[in-house]
Amino acid sequence: MDCYDDPLDVFNIASNWLSNCTESHHLCKSNGDGTLPTRLISITGDSLRLVQTSELLNRPRYATLSHSWGSRNVIKLTSEDLDTYMEALPVERFPKTFTYAIEITQRLGLDYLWVDSLCIIQDNVDDWQKESALMSSVFGGSAITIAASSAHDGSQGCFMKPPYFSGGLRARITDAGLQRVQDFRGKEAYNLSTFSTHLGTRAWALQEKMLPPRTIHFGDRGAFWECRTTIASEYLPDGFPRQLVSPLVRRKGKFQDLWPQIVRLYSAADLTFGKDKLPALSGIARLGYNETGDQYLAGLWKGKLEEQLCWDRWGYESSIVRPRPPWRAPTWSWASIDGAVSWYTRQKGVLETTYVQVLDANTTKYGYDPFGQVSSGFIRLACSTMAAGYLVHPSESNNPEPEEDAIIVSYAGNRELNVSILMDCQDDSNRPPYKLVYLLPFFSGKTGGSTREEGKDRISELMIEGIVLEATCVTKGELSRIGSFKIYKDRMRDGGKKIFRNRVYEEETYDSYERFLNVLKEHGTVTAEEVCTEVISNPKDLDKRYVITLV
């Protein structure tokens, strides 16, 4: 077995990777009939130029470039330059990343390269919308994607590996007279070369990673190969164990099971322009639609809508409440806010009690892409119960958790229940004090999380989860989302201490679960009937009768 005693040329390694994958990997083969991008860069002949793919006699094999624009003024195709660039591109103005991408493409034996800033007319909204709607086939149909993984902008290029850096090695070992060959590499080699790079923090890059059949990442750890069958590095070019290949790239498992992970990664990534929140995910959404046929609704799927509507802010940034951005999605969509989000995934035995049923849902597309920008959207649902209360801010609340907003729910005469909530946005927290809002529960029951022994009994963690709404005051029964809530009982972590949102709570607050259920029992149907737009006879679920519309 080759231990690579002599240094290997990275371009020869990359060529071997591409040819082996193209010829031998069944999982990586493309059907070759996807829609081509309108333009490609021809890198043959005396000068580089743009070409119209519709004028090519044969279907081209091309590379795509995944890169971070950064804050520098990258060269762009404009309406004024189109005719000139069809004659010849001004290569003297190309940043280092573009120059290296061209060299890599040529060394891999390909004649065409696609670069977003040069192949989409950047000052033409119509062209941008048409081309951005093709991302699934543009990257999915490429022969290879070249990822400038570590570069913060075009000036830094692809080859950023420090001198004498080693990302792994293969060694001959003699042990008790027996010889063997063993690979040595860090267990985080894959993540450090892909998800944890600078490019991995950019929202557009997630679909540019998932959609192609194969990618070569060039960064400060050298060249790293990733396809749907194997991963390898320039230090261990024969490949790593297959189980290290990301399920997002391999498309292993059902798409709907991957969606929560996709949204967690994507929502935590950065966007230069907030309006791109849905377009930058549209290629993956189209992929999901092609597999499932499910209706896509501004980042959520109809088949799992009740579950996905219970998203909330997630991760280390969950304590950071950001301002609400300009409108780009209905308030019920996680795409309407900035920052990482997540939700509980339901399964058998988990959160089995339901309080809502979606009756109808739709969004109106903005532009050409049914998976991109939207101009409006609604969800019409029937609920069985609802609680009303007054929103109070930390300084006005007696809640034992003063950092969080709360809703005070009155019940049983003059008794009050404080429910801690997680506001979606900073602007939502700036509501006038004691504004009337509504707690709409979606699910309750066992979380499938921790349990504890109490005598002969096994005590399971319980939770009620739902969303916080306020009336739009436009039409009766029309509400917008402003936050989410989770109420736990018997939550056990950290050596048996009961916690909420990773912070220790006092024991006595844990009757909130039962008290909230009592509120719903005593007042829930009355509140729901007062708020709803109509009361229906629901043959599927007799108690879900009160219809509201979320916008």
Side-chain angles (χ1 to χ4, degrees):
M1 186 177 287
D2 192 352
C3 286
Y4 321 118
D5 296 319
D6 298 321
L8 299 176
D9 177 71
V10 69
F11 291 111
N12 290 336
I13 295 171
S15 294
N16 288 335
W17 283 335
L18 180 57
S19 60
N20 288 339
C21 179
T22 304
E23 295 167 10
S24 308
H25 293 172
H26 175 72
L27 282 175
C28 305
K29 291 189 182 299
S30 167
N31 57 22
D33 60 0
T35 305
L36 288 167
T38 300
R39 305 168 197 88
L40 289 170
I41 301 170
S42 172
I43 58 174
T44 59
D46 296 332
S47 61
L48 275 64
R49 63 188 181 91
L50 285 179
V51 294
Q52 298 274 0
T53 56
S54 60
E55 298 175 1
L56 298 175
L57 297 177
N58 299 309
R59 187 176 181 87
R61 292 182 73 229
Y62 63 93
T64 44
L65 175 64
S66 178
H67 67 114
S68 176
W69 288 31
S71 57
R72 291 175 179 262
N73 188 21
V74 66
I75 182 173
K76 302 180 187 74
L77 173 64
T78 64
S79 304
E80 183 181 354
D81 297 321
L82 179 58
D83 290 340
T84 302
Y85 287 5
M86 298 290 287
E87 296 293 327
L89 284 161
V91 292
E92 69 280 358
R93 293 175 52 199
F94 279 14
K96 191 183 294 186
T97 297
F98 291 11
T99 303
Y100 282 148
I102 291 164
E103 180 184 4
I104 294 165
T105 303
Q106 291 171 331
R107 294 290 291 267
L108 292 176
L110 301 173
D111 294 337
Y112 300 96
L113 172 66
W114 183 89
V115 179
D116 52 0
S117 64
L118 289 174
C119 295
I120 301 175
I121 305 174
Q122 298 296 319
D123 63 348
N124 185 317
V125 174
D126 190 69
D127 191 72
W128 191 93
Q129 289 183 351
K130 284 182 179 178
E131 296 301 304
S132 65
L134 299 177
M135 289 303 98
S136 183
S137 60
V138 169
F139 281 89
S142 67
I144 187 75
T145 289
I146 299 163
S149 299
S150 298
H152 287 235
D153 57 50
S155 70
Q156 295 181 307
C158 297
F159 303 105
M160 299 177 63
K161 180 181 66 176
Y164 310 113
F165 175 83
S166 175
L169 59 92
R170 175 173 289 171
R172 297 182 186 90
I173 297 174
T174 303
D175 185 7
L178 299 175
Q179 283 195 340
R180 72 177 192 274
V181 172
Q182 182 170 332
D183 290 349
F184 294 88
R185 53 173 171 74
K187 64 180 181 179
E188 290 296 313
Y190 172 75
N191 279 333
L192 291 173
S193 298
T194 56
F195 286 113
S196 298
T197 62
H198 174 72
L199 192 61
T201 69
R202 307 301 301 170
W204 279 99
L206 180 61
Q207 68 176 7
E208 293 168 4
K209 175 179 169 57
M210 271 192 69
L211 297 173
R214 54 192 75 87
T215 299
I216 306 180
H217 304 266
F218 289 94
D220 56 13
R221 301 179 65 83
F224 198 95
W225 170 267
E226 178 176 32
C227 67
R228 294 172 191 161
T229 304
T230 191
I231 59 175
S233 73
E234 65 177 84
Y235 310 99
L236 297 169
D238 291 341
F240 292 7
R242 284 189 64 192
Q243 63 266 29
L244 288 179
V245 181
S246 167
L248 294 183
V249 175
R250 287 193 67 191
R251 316 265 179 86
K252 187 176 181 180
K254 295 180 179 179
F255 179 85
Q256 288 289 23
D257 294 335
L258 297 176
W259 190 248
Q261 182 187 2
I262 291 169
V263 173
R264 277 196 301 271
L265 289 169
Y266 178 78
S267 59
D270 299 324
L271 274 170
T272 301
F273 303 106
K275 65 179 177 59
D276 292 348
K277 190 78 168 186
L278 290 170
L281 191 62
S282 66
I284 300 176
R286 184 180 294 274
L287 186 73
Y289 174 77
N290 291 341
E291 179 181 315
T292 67
D294 198 1
Q295 183 183 2
Y296 182 67
L297 297 158
L300 296 81
W301 296 93
K302 180 76 174 292
K304 296 269 189 179
L305 194 52
E306 288 93 346
E307 173 186 300
Q308 294 176 8
L309 283 169
C310 289
W311 57 266
D312 65 10
R313 292 187 289 110
W314 172 82
Y316 73 94
E317 287 190 339
S318 63
S319 60
I320 303 171
V321 188
R322 305 187 187 190
R324 185 173 287 279
W327 196 98
R328 63 193 180 209
T331 60
W332 46 259
S333 169
W334 55 264
S336 67
I337 73 166
D338 293 326
V341 301
S342 182
W343 60 82
Y344 259 89
T345 53
R346 296 177 69 224
Q347 51 194 300
K348 187 176 180 180
V350 172
L351 299 176
E352 289 191 311
T353 301
T354 65
Y355 302 93
V356 300
Q357 176 192 335
V358 171
L359 302 176
D360 189 19
N362 202 17
T363 56
T364 303
K365 68 177 182 178
Y366 178 83
Y368 296 94
D369 191 355
F371 306 98
Q373 285 179 273
V374 297
S375 59
S376 64
F378 73 90
I379 294 174
R380 186 170 168 266
L381 57 82
C383 64
S384 59
T385 189
M386 189 184 295
Y390 294 95
L391 178 64
V392 293
H393 305 308
S395 60
E396 302 150 356
S397 172
N398 295 321
N399 194 298
E401 200 53 40
E403 297 91 354
E404 294 185 333
D405 291 284
I407 289 176
I408 296 178
V409 179
S410 299
Y411 73 107
N414 60 356
R415 299 189 67 186
E416 291 183 343
L417 171 63
N418 279 21
V419 179
S420 291
I421 62 172
L422 200 62
M423 302 301 290
D424 291 339
C425 292
Q426 196 176 82
D427 308 58
D428 300 333
S429 296
N430 294 333
R431 296 290 190 281
Y434 296 99
K435 177 179 174 60
L436 184 64
V437 294
Y438 303 97
L439 295 164
L440 177 62
F442 272 61
F443 307 107
S444 69
K446 296 178 182 179
T447 65
S450 60
T451 60
R452 61 185 171 88
E453 300 290 341
E454 197 169 277
K456 294 182 180 180
D457 298 326
R458 180 177 291 274
I459 308 299
S460 297
E461 176 182 276
L462 302 175
M463 180 182 72
I464 305 169
E465 71 168 347
I467 61 177
V468 185
L469 302 169
E470 68 173 2
T472 63
C473 300
V474 174
T475 304
K476 186 177 187 293
E478 184 181 88
L479 302 111
S480 58
R481 173 181 159 143
I482 61 171
S484 60
F485 69 94
K486 288 179 171 64
I487 305 172
Y488 289 93
K489 179 181 180 182
D490 295 310
R491 192 175 194 192
M492 305 295 296
R493 295 286 192 278
D494 298 333
K497 290 180 179 178
K498 298 182 176 181
I499 68 162
F500 181 72
R501 298 201 185 281
N502 300 321
R503 292 188 286 270
V504 177
Y505 252 38
E506 297 297 327
E507 185 80 21
E508 56 267 22
T509 67
Y510 273 78
D511 64 353
S512 295
Y513 184 91
E514 300 295 346
R515 290 169 64 195
F516 187 71
L517 288 180
N518 286 334
V519 170
L520 296 179
K521 184 178 179 180
E522 294 174 9
H523 307 286
T525 57
V526 174
T527 302
E529 187 166 359
E530 289 176 349
V531 174
C532 75
T533 184
E534 64 176 312
V535 181
I536 61 171
S537 174
N538 189 346
K540 287 188 176 181
D541 207 326
L542 295 177
D543 66 336
K544 298 182 178 68
R545 305 170 55 219
Y546 308 102
V547 179
I548 61 172
T549 301
L550 307 183
V551 294

